[in-house]
Amino acid sequence: MGLLPAQPLDASDDPNAQPVDVCPNDIMEGPEYEFVADPLSDQVWNMWKDNATTNTQIFRHLFRADPDDNVKTFDDYEAFLPRHKKFKQGHLHDPFMPAQEVREKLDQIKGHLVWMQLDFLCDAEMAERGLQVNAYTE
């Protein structure tokens, strides 16, 4: 398309085009790097599970994050929603909770990992009977 200038064909100085035995990158050493050297190890998996569980529970407690596995039906969902219109869904669920307690809970969150909510509305009837569109939807 001509948007980039022509690039030289000689990549002898490019660190990404070197032979395998030549490594211009810094080798990271230390316990943090050794911990994740095998991303499929039991230690990494256990840390991920623990962080996901802790983060999910804190978000559930503070914000009533939606979707939530504890909500199985539409009746559960109605009870789950904020009762007062001035409290927005996804915001701090209990606005009267002391700020220090909120900060302590938020300090326990590590990263962005949470469990995917696979049981949200799992017992809810999603389609009305008799509204068949084709043989596969009934």
Short mmCIF file of all heavy atoms in Angstrom, two decimals, residues 76-118:
data_model
loop_
_atom_site.label_atom_id
_atom_site.label_comp_id
_atom_site.label_asym_id
_atom_site.label_seq_id
_atom_site.Cartn_x
_atom_site.Cartn_y
_atom_site.Cartn_z
N ASP A 76 -34.70 -15.09 41.42
CA ASP A 76 -33.44 -14.83 42.10
C ASP A 76 -32.82 -13.52 41.60
O ASP A 76 -32.26 -12.75 42.37
CB ASP A 76 -32.43 -15.96 41.87
CG ASP A 76 -32.85 -17.27 42.49
OD1 ASP A 76 -33.73 -17.25 43.38
OD2 ASP A 76 -32.30 -18.31 42.09
N TYR A 77 -32.95 -13.29 40.30
CA TYR A 77 -32.37 -12.08 39.70
C TYR A 77 -33.06 -10.83 40.24
O TYR A 77 -32.40 -9.83 40.53
CB TYR A 77 -32.46 -12.15 38.18
CG TYR A 77 -31.69 -11.07 37.48
CD1 TYR A 77 -30.31 -11.02 37.57
CD2 TYR A 77 -32.33 -10.10 36.74
CE1 TYR A 77 -29.57 -10.04 36.93
CE2 TYR A 77 -31.61 -9.11 36.10
CZ TYR A 77 -30.24 -9.08 36.20
OH TYR A 77 -29.52 -8.11 35.57
N GLU A 78 -34.37 -10.88 40.35
CA GLU A 78 -35.11 -9.74 40.91
C GLU A 78 -34.67 -9.46 42.34
O GLU A 78 -34.54 -8.31 42.74
CB GLU A 78 -36.62 -10.00 40.86
CG GLU A 78 -37.21 -9.90 39.47
CD GLU A 78 -37.08 -8.51 38.87
OE1 GLU A 78 -37.23 -7.51 39.59
OE2 GLU A 78 -36.81 -8.42 37.66
N ALA A 79 -34.46 -10.50 43.12
CA ALA A 79 -34.01 -10.32 44.51
C ALA A 79 -32.55 -9.84 44.56
O ALA A 79 -32.15 -9.20 45.52
CB ALA A 79 -34.16 -11.63 45.27
N PHE A 80 -31.80 -10.15 43.53
CA PHE A 80 -30.38 -9.80 43.47
C PHE A 80 -30.17 -8.32 43.14
O PHE A 80 -29.21 -7.71 43.59
CB PHE A 80 -29.72 -10.68 42.40
CG PHE A 80 -28.25 -10.48 42.24
CD1 PHE A 80 -27.36 -11.06 43.13
CD2 PHE A 80 -27.75 -9.74 41.19
CE1 PHE A 80 -25.99 -10.89 42.97
CE2 PHE A 80 -26.39 -9.57 41.02
CZ PHE A 80 -25.51 -10.14 41.93
N LEU A 81 -31.09 -7.74 42.36
CA LEU A 81 -30.95 -6.35 41.94
C LEU A 81 -31.06 -5.40 43.13
O LEU A 81 -31.69 -5.72 44.13
CB LEU A 81 -32.04 -6.01 40.91
CG LEU A 81 -31.93 -6.73 39.58
CD1 LEU A 81 -33.15 -6.41 38.71
CD2 LEU A 81 -30.67 -6.33 38.85
N PRO A 82 -30.45 -4.22 43.02
CA PRO A 82 -30.57 -3.24 44.10
C PRO A 82 -32.04 -2.87 44.32
O PRO A 82 -32.81 -2.72 43.37
CB PRO A 82 -29.79 -2.03 43.58
CG PRO A 82 -28.92 -2.54 42.51
CD PRO A 82 -29.60 -3.73 41.93
N ARG A 83 -32.43 -2.76 45.57
CA ARG A 83 -33.83 -2.47 45.90
C ARG A 83 -34.18 -1.00 45.70
O ARG A 83 -35.31 -0.67 45.39
CB ARG A 83 -34.11 -2.89 47.33
CG ARG A 83 -33.84 -4.35 47.56
CD ARG A 83 -34.76 -4.92 48.61
NE ARG A 83 -34.44 -6.29 48.92
CZ ARG A 83 -34.85 -7.33 48.22
NH1 ARG A 83 -35.59 -7.15 47.16
NH2 ARG A 83 -34.53 -8.55 48.56
N HIS A 84 -33.23 -0.12 45.92
CA HIS A 84 -33.49 1.31 45.78
C HIS A 84 -32.96 1.78 44.44
O HIS A 84 -31.88 1.41 44.01
CB HIS A 84 -32.81 2.09 46.91
CG HIS A 84 -33.25 1.65 48.27
ND1 HIS A 84 -34.49 1.94 48.77
CD2 HIS A 84 -32.63 0.93 49.23
CE1 HIS A 84 -34.61 1.42 49.99
NE2 HIS A 84 -33.48 0.80 50.28
N LYS A 85 -33.73 2.61 43.78
CA LYS A 85 -33.35 3.10 42.45
C LYS A 85 -32.11 4.00 42.50
O LYS A 85 -31.41 4.15 41.53
CB LYS A 85 -34.51 3.86 41.80
CG LYS A 85 -35.72 3.00 41.55
CD LYS A 85 -35.41 1.90 40.57
CE LYS A 85 -36.62 1.02 40.35
NZ LYS A 85 -36.31 -0.17 39.63
N LYS A 86 -31.83 4.61 43.67
CA LYS A 86 -30.67 5.50 43.74
C LYS A 86 -29.35 4.73 43.82
O LYS A 86 -28.29 5.29 43.60
CB LYS A 86 -30.79 6.46 44.91
CG LYS A 86 -30.73 5.84 46.27
CD LYS A 86 -30.84 6.91 47.35
CE LYS A 86 -30.66 6.29 48.72
NZ LYS A 86 -30.65 7.29 49.77
N PHE A 87 -29.42 3.43 44.12
CA PHE A 87 -28.21 2.59 44.14
C PHE A 87 -28.09 1.91 42.79
O PHE A 87 -28.93 1.11 42.41
CB PHE A 87 -28.29 1.54 45.25
CG PHE A 87 -28.44 2.12 46.63
CD1 PHE A 87 -29.22 1.51 47.57
CD2 PHE A 87 -27.78 3.29 46.98
CE1 PHE A 87 -29.37 2.04 48.84
CE2 PHE A 87 -27.92 3.83 48.25
CZ PHE A 87 -28.72 3.20 49.17
N LYS A 88 -27.05 2.22 42.07
CA LYS A 88 -26.86 1.67 40.72
C LYS A 88 -26.26 0.28 40.79
O LYS A 88 -25.40 0.01 41.62
CB LYS A 88 -25.97 2.58 39.89
CG LYS A 88 -26.58 3.93 39.62
CD LYS A 88 -25.67 4.75 38.74
CE LYS A 88 -26.29 6.08 38.45
NZ LYS A 88 -25.45 6.89 37.59
N GLN A 89 -26.71 -0.57 39.89
CA GLN A 89 -26.16 -1.92 39.81
C GLN A 89 -24.71 -1.85 39.35
O GLN A 89 -24.36 -1.10 38.45
CB GLN A 89 -26.98 -2.74 38.85
CG GLN A 89 -26.61 -4.19 38.83
CD GLN A 89 -27.58 -5.01 38.01
OE1 GLN A 89 -28.50 -4.49 37.42
NE2 GLN A 89 -27.36 -6.29 37.96
N GLY A 90 -23.85 -2.65 39.99
CA GLY A 90 -22.43 -2.66 39.65
C GLY A 90 -21.62 -1.70 40.49
O GLY A 90 -20.41 -1.76 40.49
N HIS A 91 -22.29 -0.79 41.19
CA HIS A 91 -21.59 0.11 42.10
C HIS A 91 -21.52 -0.58 43.46
O HIS A 91 -22.01 -1.69 43.65
CB HIS A 91 -22.33 1.44 42.20
CG HIS A 91 -22.23 2.26 40.96
ND1 HIS A 91 -21.98 3.59 40.96
CD2 HIS A 91 -22.33 1.92 39.64
CE1 HIS A 91 -21.94 4.06 39.73
NE2 HIS A 91 -22.15 3.06 38.91
N LEU A 92 -20.94 0.08 44.42
CA LEU A 92 -20.84 -0.46 45.76
C LEU A 92 -22.24 -0.82 46.25
O LEU A 92 -23.13 0.02 46.27
CB LEU A 92 -20.17 0.57 46.68
CG LEU A 92 -19.71 0.07 48.03
CD1 LEU A 92 -18.67 -1.03 47.86
CD2 LEU A 92 -19.13 1.21 48.84
N HIS A 93 -22.42 -2.08 46.62
CA HIS A 93 -23.75 -2.57 46.97
C HIS A 93 -24.27 -1.95 48.26
O HIS A 93 -25.44 -1.58 48.36
CB HIS A 93 -23.75 -4.10 47.09
CG HIS A 93 -25.04 -4.66 47.55
ND1 HIS A 93 -26.17 -4.59 46.77
CD2 HIS A 93 -25.40 -5.24 48.70
CE1 HIS A 93 -27.17 -5.14 47.42
NE2 HIS A 93 -26.73 -5.54 48.60
N ASP A 94 -23.42 -1.83 49.25
CA ASP A 94 -23.81 -1.26 50.54
C ASP A 94 -23.12 0.08 50.70
O ASP A 94 -21.96 0.15 51.12
CB ASP A 94 -23.42 -2.21 51.68
CG ASP A 94 -23.84 -1.69 53.04
OD1 ASP A 94 -24.52 -0.64 53.10
OD2 ASP A 94 -23.48 -2.33 54.04
N PRO A 95 -23.80 1.18 50.37
CA PRO A 95 -23.14 2.49 50.44
C PRO A 95 -22.82 2.92 51.88
O PRO A 95 -22.08 3.87 52.07
CB PRO A 95 -24.16 3.44 49.80
CG PRO A 95 -25.47 2.76 49.96
CD PRO A 95 -25.18 1.28 49.93
N PHE A 96 -23.35 2.21 52.86
CA PHE A 96 -23.10 2.55 54.25
C PHE A 96 -21.94 1.75 54.84
O PHE A 96 -21.62 1.90 56.01
CB PHE A 96 -24.37 2.35 55.09
CG PHE A 96 -25.53 3.14 54.55
CD1 PHE A 96 -26.58 2.50 53.93
CD2 PHE A 96 -25.54 4.52 54.64
CE1 PHE A 96 -27.64 3.23 53.41
CE2 PHE A 96 -26.60 5.26 54.12
CZ PHE A 96 -27.65 4.61 53.50
N MET A 97 -21.32 0.90 54.03
CA MET A 97 -20.16 0.14 54.49
C MET A 97 -19.01 1.12 54.73
O MET A 97 -18.76 2.00 53.91
CB MET A 97 -19.75 -0.90 53.43
CG MET A 97 -18.61 -1.79 53.85
SD MET A 97 -18.13 -2.97 52.56
CE MET A 97 -19.60 -3.94 52.40
N PRO A 98 -18.33 1.01 55.85
CA PRO A 98 -17.22 1.94 56.14
C PRO A 98 -16.15 1.88 55.05
O PRO A 98 -15.81 0.81 54.53
CB PRO A 98 -16.67 1.43 57.47
CG PRO A 98 -17.75 0.60 58.07
CD PRO A 98 -18.55 0.05 56.93
N ALA A 99 -15.63 3.05 54.71
CA ALA A 99 -14.62 3.14 53.65
C ALA A 99 -13.39 2.31 53.97
O ALA A 99 -12.79 1.72 53.06
CB ALA A 99 -14.24 4.60 53.43
N GLN A 100 -13.01 2.25 55.23
CA GLN A 100 -11.84 1.46 55.61
C GLN A 100 -12.06 -0.02 55.30
O GLN A 100 -11.16 -0.71 54.82
CB GLN A 100 -11.53 1.66 57.11
CG GLN A 100 -10.28 0.95 57.57
CD GLN A 100 -9.03 1.44 56.85
OE1 GLN A 100 -8.92 2.60 56.46
NE2 GLN A 100 -8.09 0.54 56.65
N GLU A 101 -13.26 -0.52 55.55
CA GLU A 101 -13.56 -1.93 55.26
C GLU A 101 -13.53 -2.19 53.76
O GLU A 101 -13.03 -3.22 53.31
CB GLU A 101 -14.94 -2.29 55.83
CG GLU A 101 -15.30 -3.74 55.67
CD GLU A 101 -16.65 -4.08 56.26
OE1 GLU A 101 -17.19 -3.28 57.06
OE2 GLU A 101 -17.19 -5.15 55.91
N VAL A 102 -14.05 -1.24 52.98
CA VAL A 102 -14.01 -1.38 51.52
C VAL A 102 -12.56 -1.42 51.04
O VAL A 102 -12.19 -2.27 50.22
CB VAL A 102 -14.78 -0.22 50.84
CG1 VAL A 102 -14.61 -0.27 49.33
CG2 VAL A 102 -16.25 -0.27 51.21
N ARG A 103 -11.72 -0.53 51.55
CA ARG A 103 -10.31 -0.51 51.15
C ARG A 103 -9.60 -1.81 51.51
O ARG A 103 -8.80 -2.33 50.73
CB ARG A 103 -9.60 0.67 51.81
CG ARG A 103 -9.94 2.00 51.20
CD ARG A 103 -9.06 3.11 51.75
NE ARG A 103 -9.61 4.39 51.40
CZ ARG A 103 -10.31 5.16 52.21
NH1 ARG A 103 -10.54 4.79 53.45
NH2 ARG A 103 -10.79 6.31 51.80
N GLU A 104 -9.89 -2.33 52.70
CA GLU A 104 -9.26 -3.59 53.12
C GLU A 104 -9.67 -4.73 52.19
O GLU A 104 -8.83 -5.58 51.85
CB GLU A 104 -9.65 -3.91 54.56
CG GLU A 104 -8.99 -3.01 55.57
CD GLU A 104 -9.53 -3.20 56.98
OE1 GLU A 104 -10.42 -4.06 57.17
OE2 GLU A 104 -9.07 -2.48 57.89
N LYS A 105 -10.93 -4.76 51.80
CA LYS A 105 -11.39 -5.81 50.87
C LYS A 105 -10.73 -5.63 49.50
O LYS A 105 -10.27 -6.60 48.89
CB LYS A 105 -12.91 -5.77 50.72
CG LYS A 105 -13.66 -6.22 51.92
CD LYS A 105 -13.58 -7.71 52.04
CE LYS A 105 -14.50 -8.18 53.15
NZ LYS A 105 -14.33 -9.60 53.40
N LEU A 106 -10.70 -4.41 49.00
CA LEU A 106 -10.10 -4.16 47.69
C LEU A 106 -8.61 -4.45 47.68
O LEU A 106 -8.06 -4.86 46.65
CB LEU A 106 -10.35 -2.71 47.26
CG LEU A 106 -11.79 -2.36 46.91
CD1 LEU A 106 -11.93 -0.87 46.62
CD2 LEU A 106 -12.29 -3.18 45.73
N ASP A 107 -7.93 -4.28 48.80
CA ASP A 107 -6.51 -4.60 48.88
C ASP A 107 -6.24 -6.10 48.76
O ASP A 107 -5.13 -6.50 48.45
CB ASP A 107 -5.92 -4.09 50.20
CG ASP A 107 -5.73 -2.58 50.21
OD1 ASP A 107 -5.74 -1.99 49.12
OD2 ASP A 107 -5.58 -2.02 51.31
N GLN A 108 -7.26 -6.92 48.99
CA GLN A 108 -7.09 -8.37 48.88
C GLN A 108 -7.18 -8.86 47.44
O GLN A 108 -6.81 -9.99 47.14
CB GLN A 108 -8.16 -9.08 49.71
CG GLN A 108 -8.05 -8.84 51.19
CD GLN A 108 -9.21 -9.46 51.95
OE1 GLN A 108 -9.88 -10.35 51.46
NE2 GLN A 108 -9.44 -8.98 53.16
N ILE A 109 -7.67 -8.01 46.53
CA ILE A 109 -7.80 -8.39 45.12
C ILE A 109 -6.41 -8.41 44.49
O ILE A 109 -5.63 -7.48 44.63
CB ILE A 109 -8.73 -7.42 44.37
CG1 ILE A 109 -10.15 -7.56 44.91
CG2 ILE A 109 -8.69 -7.68 42.87
CD1 ILE A 109 -11.12 -6.58 44.34
N LYS A 110 -6.13 -9.51 43.78
CA LYS A 110 -4.84 -9.66 43.09
C LYS A 110 -5.12 -9.90 41.62
O LYS A 110 -5.68 -10.92 41.24
CB LYS A 110 -4.06 -10.83 43.68
CG LYS A 110 -3.65 -10.62 45.11
CD LYS A 110 -2.90 -11.82 45.64
CE LYS A 110 -2.56 -11.63 47.10
NZ LYS A 110 -2.06 -12.86 47.69
N GLY A 111 -4.73 -8.95 40.79
CA GLY A 111 -4.91 -9.10 39.35
C GLY A 111 -6.36 -8.90 38.93
O GLY A 111 -7.16 -8.28 39.64
N HIS A 112 -6.70 -9.46 37.78
CA HIS A 112 -8.03 -9.30 37.19
C HIS A 112 -8.77 -10.63 37.07
O HIS A 112 -9.84 -10.67 36.48
CB HIS A 112 -7.92 -8.67 35.80
CG HIS A 112 -7.21 -7.36 35.80
ND1 HIS A 112 -7.82 -6.19 36.16
CD2 HIS A 112 -5.93 -7.04 35.51
CE1 HIS A 112 -6.96 -5.20 36.07
NE2 HIS A 112 -5.80 -5.69 35.67
N LEU A 113 -8.20 -11.68 37.58
CA LEU A 113 -8.74 -13.01 37.38
C LEU A 113 -9.96 -13.27 38.26
O LEU A 113 -9.91 -13.07 39.47
CB LEU A 113 -7.64 -14.04 37.68
CG LEU A 113 -7.88 -15.47 37.25
CD1 LEU A 113 -8.01 -15.56 35.74
CD2 LEU A 113 -6.74 -16.34 37.72
N VAL A 114 -11.07 -13.69 37.64
CA VAL A 114 -12.27 -14.10 38.35
C VAL A 114 -12.80 -15.36 37.67
O VAL A 114 -12.47 -15.66 36.54
CB VAL A 114 -13.37 -13.02 38.36
CG1 VAL A 114 -12.96 -11.81 39.16
CG2 VAL A 114 -13.75 -12.62 36.95
N TRP A 115 -13.65 -16.10 38.38
CA TRP A 115 -14.27 -17.29 37.80
C TRP A 115 -15.37 -16.87 36.84
O TRP A 115 -16.15 -15.96 37.13
CB TRP A 115 -14.86 -18.18 38.88
CG TRP A 115 -13.82 -18.94 39.64
CD1 TRP A 115 -13.50 -18.77 40.94
CD2 TRP A 115 -12.98 -19.97 39.15
NE1 TRP A 115 -12.48 -19.63 41.30
CE2 TRP A 115 -12.15 -20.38 40.20
CE3 TRP A 115 -12.82 -20.59 37.91
CZ2 TRP A 115 -11.19 -21.38 40.07
CZ3 TRP A 115 -11.86 -21.57 37.78
CH2 TRP A 115 -11.07 -21.96 38.84
N MET A 116 -15.46 -17.55 35.72
CA MET A 116 -16.54 -17.31 34.78
C MET A 116 -17.83 -17.89 35.36
O MET A 116 -17.86 -19.02 35.81
CB MET A 116 -16.23 -17.97 33.43
CG MET A 116 -17.22 -17.67 32.39
SD MET A 116 -16.61 -18.29 30.82
CE MET A 116 -17.89 -17.74 29.75
N GLN A 117 -18.87 -17.11 35.34
CA GLN A 117 -20.14 -17.49 35.96
C GLN A 117 -20.95 -18.35 34.97
O GLN A 117 -21.73 -17.82 34.18
CB GLN A 117 -20.91 -16.24 36.38
CG GLN A 117 -20.10 -15.32 37.27
CD GLN A 117 -19.70 -15.97 38.58
OE1 GLN A 117 -20.52 -16.50 39.30
NE2 GLN A 117 -18.41 -15.95 38.88
N LEU A 118 -20.79 -19.65 35.04
CA LEU A 118 -21.42 -20.56 34.08
C LEU A 118 -22.83 -20.99 34.48
O LEU A 118 -23.55 -21.52 33.66
CB LEU A 118 -20.53 -21.80 33.90
CG LEU A 118 -19.14 -21.52 33.33
CD1 LEU A 118 -18.31 -22.80 33.33
CD2 LEU A 118 -19.24 -20.95 31.94
#
